[in-house]
Amino acid sequence: MTEEWHLKGDYVEACNCDVTCQCIWMEPPDDNLCTVSIVNHLQEGHYGDVDLGGLSTVLLISTEEGVMFAPDTGWDLVLLIDEEASKEQQSALEDIYFGRAGGIFAPVADTHVENAEAALAPISFDRDEDEISVNVDDTMTVEVEGARGFNDELGTITPHPLTADHEMSTGKSTTATVDYNDQFTWDVSGNNSYLGDFELANG
């Protein structure tokens, strides 16, 4: 029986698209490939009786050519889990993010994911309003700030699939580097970022 789960906290992503992530509009990404880091810092959360609050996760995603969410586009991904997680918390987060526990990640896993692995890592997360920095040892560094437009207002983007209200703020990375292995190595600094609060559940 699938456990009920709920996650709520801070969200940031940094990808290779220059100005904005075109996957939102089902258009091909820059260079016709997507390389993206997605970070969730869980202010609160649970998987059944397992408390997940205070932990962070990172998804590293590398896609085949084409529109990211097109049914025939395959993804390879790595899930990095906060090294502070217990075995029960690690198992719960793998079930959620690998789509085994329903919610938004289930159709993603069924439709797109071809290869997936998980690992524990030391994840540090810091947020000051629309400035976010994340560091994963020597593996990943992401630093972003909100992108403001007319009247110095922070931009928003919708519909974003990875939060319940489908809205995120626009941003720009100052640093966005990954060095996990030969496949998951990139520097997309200075490109698109989305950030904000997120909430997801399988109920």
Side-chain angles (χ1 to χ4, degrees):
M1 180 177 177
T2 300
E3 296 282 3
E4 184 265 334
W5 62 265
H6 175 256
L7 306 177
K8 184 177 182 180
D10 306 290
Y11 177 99
V12 64
E13 67 177 82
C15 75
N16 60 296
C17 286
D18 183 14
V19 177
T20 186
C21 169
Q22 289 139 188
C23 303
I24 297 294
W25 297 280
M26 297 296 291
E27 295 289 338
D30 289 3
D31 303 319
N32 208 32
L33 294 167
C34 178
T35 51
V36 61
S37 308
I38 297 174
V39 182
N40 289 161
H41 177 65
L42 308 181
Q43 299 289 353
E44 55 186 82
H46 69 269
Y47 176 82
D49 294 331
V50 180
D51 181 22
L52 301 174
L55 299 174
S56 296
T57 63
V58 175
L59 281 173
L60 305 177
I61 301 173
S62 175
T63 74
E64 297 175 341
E65 291 186 349
V67 177
M68 184 180 191
F69 293 110
D72 57 348
T73 302
W75 305 3
D76 294 333
L77 66 82
V78 174
L79 171 64
L80 301 178
I81 297 172
D82 199 322
E83 66 178 3
E84 299 297 321
S86 66
K87 289 183 179 179
E88 291 78 10
Q89 290 171 321
Q90 181 182 358
S91 177
L93 290 167
E94 289 180 13
D95 281 351
I96 293 170
Y97 286 96
F98 288 161
R100 297 192 290 255
I104 183 64
F105 298 108
V108 167
D110 290 343
T111 305
H112 299 289
V113 176
E114 297 184 347
N115 298 287
E117 64 180 84
L120 295 175
I123 304 172
S124 65
F125 182 95
D126 183 70
R127 179 179 181 183
D128 182 8
E129 295 185 353
D130 64 342
E131 295 183 0
I132 296 177
S133 62
V134 187
N135 185 262
V136 184
D137 202 14
D138 296 326
T139 301
M140 188 195 80
T141 300
V142 169
E143 297 175 344
V144 309
E145 56 188 25
R148 297 180 176 274
F150 290 108
N151 300 322
D152 198 36
E153 292 183 8
L154 186 63
T156 57
I157 188 75
T158 188
H160 195 290
L162 294 181
T163 186
D165 68 2
H166 302 297
E167 183 173 291
M168 286 289 174
S169 297
T170 56
K172 199 83 168 173
S173 66
T174 54
T175 304
T177 60
V178 170
D179 186 7
Y180 180 76
N181 59 24
D182 289 343
Q183 180 180 9
F184 294 90
T185 297
W186 57 75
D187 183 347
V188 296
S189 305
N191 287 355
N192 172 73
S193 173
Y194 294 144
L195 63 148
D197 303 323
F198 87 100
E199 186 171 8
L200 291 171
N202 68 341

